[in-house]
mmCIF file of all heavy atoms in Angstrom:
data_model
loop_
_atom_site.group_PDB
_atom_site.id
_atom_site.type_symbol
_atom_site.label_atom_id
_atom_site.label_comp_id
_atom_site.label_asym_id
_atom_site.label_seq_id
_atom_site.Cartn_x
_atom_site.Cartn_y
_atom_site.Cartn_z
ATOM 1 N N HIS A 1 0.834 -1.200 0.000
ATOM 2 C CA HIS A 1 0.000 0.000 0.000
ATOM 3 C C HIS A 1 0.875 1.261 0.000
ATOM 4 O O HIS A 1 1.802 1.381 0.800
ATOM 5 C CB HIS A 1 -0.910 0.028 1.233
ATOM 6 C CG HIS A 1 -1.937 -1.054 1.246
ATOM 7 N ND1 HIS A 1 -3.052 -1.008 2.051
ATOM 8 C CD2 HIS A 1 -2.031 -2.206 0.553
ATOM 9 C CE1 HIS A 1 -3.781 -2.088 1.869
ATOM 10 N NE2 HIS A 1 -3.166 -2.841 0.964
ATOM 11 N N HIS A 2 0.541 2.188 -0.898
ATOM 12 C CA HIS A 2 1.165 3.508 -0.918
ATOM 13 C C HIS A 2 0.062 4.557 -0.780
ATOM 14 O O HIS A 2 -1.027 4.391 -1.338
ATOM 15 C CB HIS A 2 1.918 3.758 -2.225
ATOM 16 C CG HIS A 2 3.064 2.830 -2.464
ATOM 17 N ND1 HIS A 2 4.159 2.763 -1.629
ATOM 18 C CD2 HIS A 2 3.282 1.917 -3.451
ATOM 19 C CE1 HIS A 2 5.010 1.872 -2.095
ATOM 20 N NE2 HIS A 2 4.497 1.331 -3.191
ATOM 21 N N ILE A 3 0.347 5.624 -0.057
ATOM 22 C CA ILE A 3 -0.626 6.708 0.127
ATOM 23 C C ILE A 3 -0.158 7.934 -0.655
ATOM 24 O O ILE A 3 1.005 8.334 -0.545
ATOM 25 C CB ILE A 3 -0.795 7.061 1.615
ATOM 26 C CG1 ILE A 3 -1.351 5.854 2.379
ATOM 27 C CG2 ILE A 3 -1.718 8.266 1.787
ATOM 28 C CD1 ILE A 3 -1.424 6.059 3.886
ATOM 29 N N LEU A 4 -1.060 8.496 -1.432
ATOM 30 C CA LEU A 4 -0.765 9.718 -2.188
ATOM 31 C C LEU A 4 -1.560 10.871 -1.590
ATOM 32 O O LEU A 4 -2.793 10.837 -1.556
ATOM 33 C CB LEU A 4 -1.117 9.553 -3.667
ATOM 34 C CG LEU A 4 -0.928 10.793 -4.549
ATOM 35 C CD1 LEU A 4 0.519 11.271 -4.516
ATOM 36 C CD2 LEU A 4 -1.374 10.528 -5.971
ATOM 37 N N VAL A 5 -0.837 11.884 -1.104
ATOM 38 C CA VAL A 5 -1.442 13.097 -0.550
ATOM 39 C C VAL A 5 -1.239 14.213 -1.559
ATOM 40 O O VAL A 5 -0.108 14.479 -1.989
ATOM 41 C CB VAL A 5 -0.798 13.474 0.802
ATOM 42 C CG1 VAL A 5 -1.403 14.767 1.343
ATOM 43 C CG2 VAL A 5 -0.975 12.339 1.809
ATOM 44 N N VAL A 6 -2.313 14.858 -1.946
ATOM 45 C CA VAL A 6 -2.248 15.935 -2.942
ATOM 46 C C VAL A 6 -2.512 17.271 -2.257
ATOM 47 O O VAL A 6 -3.561 17.463 -1.636
ATOM 48 C CB VAL A 6 -3.266 15.711 -4.081
ATOM 49 C CG1 VAL A 6 -3.184 16.843 -5.095
ATOM 50 C CG2 VAL A 6 -3.017 14.368 -4.764
ATOM 51 N N GLN A 7 -1.559 18.164 -2.359
ATOM 52 C CA GLN A 7 -1.701 19.498 -1.778
ATOM 53 C C GLN A 7 -2.222 20.474 -2.843
ATOM 54 O O GLN A 7 -1.828 20.390 -4.012
ATOM 55 C CB GLN A 7 -0.364 19.986 -1.231
ATOM 56 C CG GLN A 7 0.170 19.145 -0.079
ATOM 57 C CD GLN A 7 1.465 19.682 0.473
ATOM 58 O OE1 GLN A 7 2.262 20.296 -0.225
ATOM 59 N NE2 GLN A 7 1.705 19.453 1.756
ATOM 60 N N TYR A 8 -3.089 21.390 -2.412
ATOM 61 C CA TYR A 8 -3.639 22.373 -3.354
ATOM 62 C C TYR A 8 -3.884 23.691 -2.632
ATOM 63 O O TYR A 8 -4.033 23.746 -1.410
ATOM 64 C CB TYR A 8 -4.921 21.858 -4.005
ATOM 65 C CG TYR A 8 -5.970 21.357 -3.047
ATOM 66 C CD1 TYR A 8 -6.990 22.186 -2.582
ATOM 67 C CD2 TYR A 8 -5.947 20.035 -2.603
ATOM 68 C CE1 TYR A 8 -7.949 21.726 -1.714
ATOM 69 C CE2 TYR A 8 -6.913 19.564 -1.727
ATOM 70 C CZ TYR A 8 -7.913 20.409 -1.294
ATOM 71 O OH TYR A 8 -8.870 19.948 -0.425
ATOM 72 N N SER A 9 -3.898 24.753 -3.425
ATOM 73 C CA SER A 9 -4.006 26.108 -2.882
ATOM 74 C C SER A 9 -5.390 26.333 -2.273
ATOM 75 O O SER A 9 -6.357 25.641 -2.610
ATOM 76 C CB SER A 9 -3.732 27.140 -3.976
ATOM 77 O OG SER A 9 -4.622 26.961 -5.062
ATOM 78 N N PRO A 10 -5.504 27.336 -1.387
ATOM 79 C CA PRO A 10 -6.764 27.528 -0.654
ATOM 80 C C PRO A 10 -7.841 28.244 -1.455
ATOM 81 O O PRO A 10 -7.554 28.962 -2.418
ATOM 82 C CB PRO A 10 -6.320 28.387 0.532
ATOM 83 C CG PRO A 10 -5.145 29.155 0.027
ATOM 84 C CD PRO A 10 -4.438 28.245 -0.923
ATOM 85 N N LYS A 11 -9.068 27.996 -1.024
ATOM 86 C CA LYS A 11 -10.231 28.757 -1.458
ATOM 87 C C LYS A 11 -10.959 29.210 -0.201
ATOM 88 O O LYS A 11 -11.006 28.493 0.786
ATOM 89 C CB LYS A 11 -11.161 27.914 -2.334
ATOM 90 C CG LYS A 11 -10.587 27.548 -3.687
ATOM 91 C CD LYS A 11 -11.602 26.783 -4.529
ATOM 92 C CE LYS A 11 -11.050 26.439 -5.891
ATOM 93 N NZ LYS A 11 -12.040 25.678 -6.717
ATOM 94 N N VAL A 12 -11.527 30.403 -0.243
ATOM 95 C CA VAL A 12 -12.205 30.941 0.938
ATOM 96 C C VAL A 12 -13.530 31.549 0.520
ATOM 97 O O VAL A 12 -13.669 32.083 -0.594
ATOM 98 C CB VAL A 12 -11.317 31.991 1.651
ATOM 99 C CG1 VAL A 12 -11.132 33.231 0.803
ATOM 100 C CG2 VAL A 12 -11.874 32.335 3.022
ATOM 101 N N SER A 13 -14.518 31.435 1.393
ATOM 102 C CA SER A 13 -15.841 32.003 1.110
ATOM 103 C C SER A 13 -16.495 32.419 2.419
ATOM 104 O O SER A 13 -16.290 31.789 3.454
ATOM 105 C CB SER A 13 -16.722 30.991 0.384
ATOM 106 O OG SER A 13 -16.867 29.817 1.152
ATOM 107 N N PRO A 14 -17.274 33.499 2.396
ATOM 108 C CA PRO A 14 -17.967 33.936 3.616
ATOM 109 C C PRO A 14 -19.107 32.993 3.963
ATOM 110 O O PRO A 14 -19.754 32.435 3.076
ATOM 111 C CB PRO A 14 -18.482 35.330 3.244
ATOM 112 C CG PRO A 14 -18.584 35.327 1.756
ATOM 113 C CD PRO A 14 -17.512 34.411 1.260
ATOM 114 N N THR A 15 -19.356 32.808 5.243
ATOM 115 C CA THR A 15 -20.472 31.970 5.699
ATOM 116 C C THR A 15 -21.600 32.821 6.283
ATOM 117 O O THR A 15 -22.566 32.275 6.814
ATOM 118 C CB THR A 15 -19.984 30.959 6.754
ATOM 119 O OG1 THR A 15 -19.374 31.660 7.838
ATOM 120 C CG2 THR A 15 -18.965 30.001 6.147
ATOM 121 N N VAL A 16 -21.469 34.130 6.203
ATOM 122 C CA VAL A 16 -22.508 35.073 6.635
ATOM 123 C C VAL A 16 -22.657 36.105 5.519
ATOM 124 O O VAL A 16 -21.821 36.165 4.606
ATOM 125 C CB VAL A 16 -22.119 35.764 7.973
ATOM 126 C CG1 VAL A 16 -22.064 34.752 9.100
ATOM 127 C CG2 VAL A 16 -20.788 36.481 7.834
ATOM 128 N N PRO A 17 -23.720 36.930 5.555
ATOM 129 C CA PRO A 17 -23.869 37.955 4.515
ATOM 130 C C PRO A 17 -22.636 38.846 4.395
ATOM 131 O O PRO A 17 -21.971 39.149 5.394
ATOM 132 C CB PRO A 17 -25.094 38.753 4.990
ATOM 133 C CG PRO A 17 -25.883 37.783 5.804
ATOM 134 C CD PRO A 17 -24.871 36.913 6.489
ATOM 135 N N THR A 18 -22.331 39.265 3.186
ATOM 136 C CA THR A 18 -21.134 40.076 2.960
ATOM 137 C C THR A 18 -21.334 41.533 3.362
ATOM 138 O O THR A 18 -20.362 42.290 3.410
ATOM 139 C CB THR A 18 -20.715 40.016 1.476
ATOM 140 O OG1 THR A 18 -21.818 40.431 0.652
ATOM 141 C CG2 THR A 18 -20.317 38.595 1.093
ATOM 142 N N GLU A 19 -22.571 41.934 3.659
ATOM 143 C CA GLU A 19 -22.817 43.301 4.139
ATOM 144 C C GLU A 19 -23.581 43.236 5.454
ATOM 145 O O GLU A 19 -24.625 42.603 5.553
ATOM 146 C CB GLU A 19 -23.609 44.105 3.107
ATOM 147 C CG GLU A 19 -23.810 45.552 3.522
ATOM 148 C CD GLU A 19 -24.468 46.385 2.422
ATOM 149 O OE1 GLU A 19 -23.887 46.473 1.327
ATOM 150 O OE2 GLU A 19 -25.566 46.928 2.674
ATOM 151 N N HIS A 20 -23.017 43.885 6.481
ATOM 152 C CA HIS A 20 -23.631 43.914 7.807
ATOM 153 C C HIS A 20 -24.016 45.352 8.142
ATOM 154 O O HIS A 20 -23.170 46.244 8.116
ATOM 155 C CB HIS A 20 -22.646 43.396 8.871
ATOM 156 C CG HIS A 20 -22.395 41.924 8.778
ATOM 157 N ND1 HIS A 20 -22.959 41.004 9.632
ATOM 158 C CD2 HIS A 20 -21.638 41.213 7.919
ATOM 159 C CE1 HIS A 20 -22.561 39.791 9.296
ATOM 160 N NE2 HIS A 20 -21.754 39.893 8.263
ATOM 161 N N GLN A 21 -25.280 45.552 8.445
ATOM 162 C CA GLN A 21 -25.765 46.870 8.878
ATOM 163 C C GLN A 21 -26.229 46.725 10.322
ATOM 164 O O GLN A 21 -27.214 46.051 10.614
ATOM 165 C CB GLN A 21 -26.910 47.358 7.979
ATOM 166 C CG GLN A 21 -27.245 48.814 8.198
ATOM 167 C CD GLN A 21 -28.000 49.395 7.013
ATOM 168 O OE1 GLN A 21 -28.018 48.817 5.934
ATOM 169 N NE2 GLN A 21 -28.631 50.527 7.217
ATOM 170 N N VAL A 22 -25.485 47.346 11.235
ATOM 171 C CA VAL A 22 -25.760 47.181 12.657
ATOM 172 C C VAL A 22 -25.878 48.550 13.324
ATOM 173 O O VAL A 22 -25.360 49.550 12.820
ATOM 174 C CB VAL A 22 -24.653 46.349 13.348
ATOM 175 C CG1 VAL A 22 -24.640 44.927 12.811
ATOM 176 C CG2 VAL A 22 -23.297 46.992 13.157
ATOM 177 N N LYS A 23 -26.531 48.548 14.473
ATOM 178 C CA LYS A 23 -26.666 49.777 15.236
ATOM 179 C C LYS A 23 -25.489 49.926 16.189
ATOM 180 O O LYS A 23 -24.929 48.944 16.666
ATOM 181 C CB LYS A 23 -27.977 49.774 16.023
ATOM 182 C CG LYS A 23 -29.217 49.798 15.142
ATOM 183 C CD LYS A 23 -30.489 49.812 15.986
ATOM 184 C CE LYS A 23 -31.729 49.862 15.101
ATOM 185 N NZ LYS A 23 -32.975 49.883 15.919
ATOM 186 N N ALA A 24 -25.134 51.173 16.457
ATOM 187 C CA ALA A 24 -24.040 51.441 17.379
ATOM 188 C C ALA A 24 -24.327 50.792 18.734
ATOM 189 O O ALA A 24 -25.454 50.854 19.240
ATOM 190 C CB ALA A 24 -23.852 52.940 17.547
ATOM 191 N N GLY A 25 -23.309 50.156 19.294
ATOM 192 C CA GLY A 25 -23.462 49.467 20.563
ATOM 193 C C GLY A 25 -23.784 47.995 20.419
ATOM 194 O O GLY A 25 -23.665 47.240 21.388
#
């Protein structure tokens, strides 16, 4: 048995809305 591990560059994505409108405090 031989194991092959393949490395690859990252990908990133937001898991919440990309625009947040909040009140002060």
Side-chain angles (χ1 to χ4, degrees):
H1 294 197
H2 297 298
I3 297 174
L4 177 59
V5 178
V6 180
Q7 296 182 330
Y8 52 94
S9 57
K11 292 183 179 180
V12 67
S13 58
T15 57
V16 295
T18 56
E19 184 174 301
H20 289 257
Q21 192 160 344
V22 295
K23 294 181 179 180

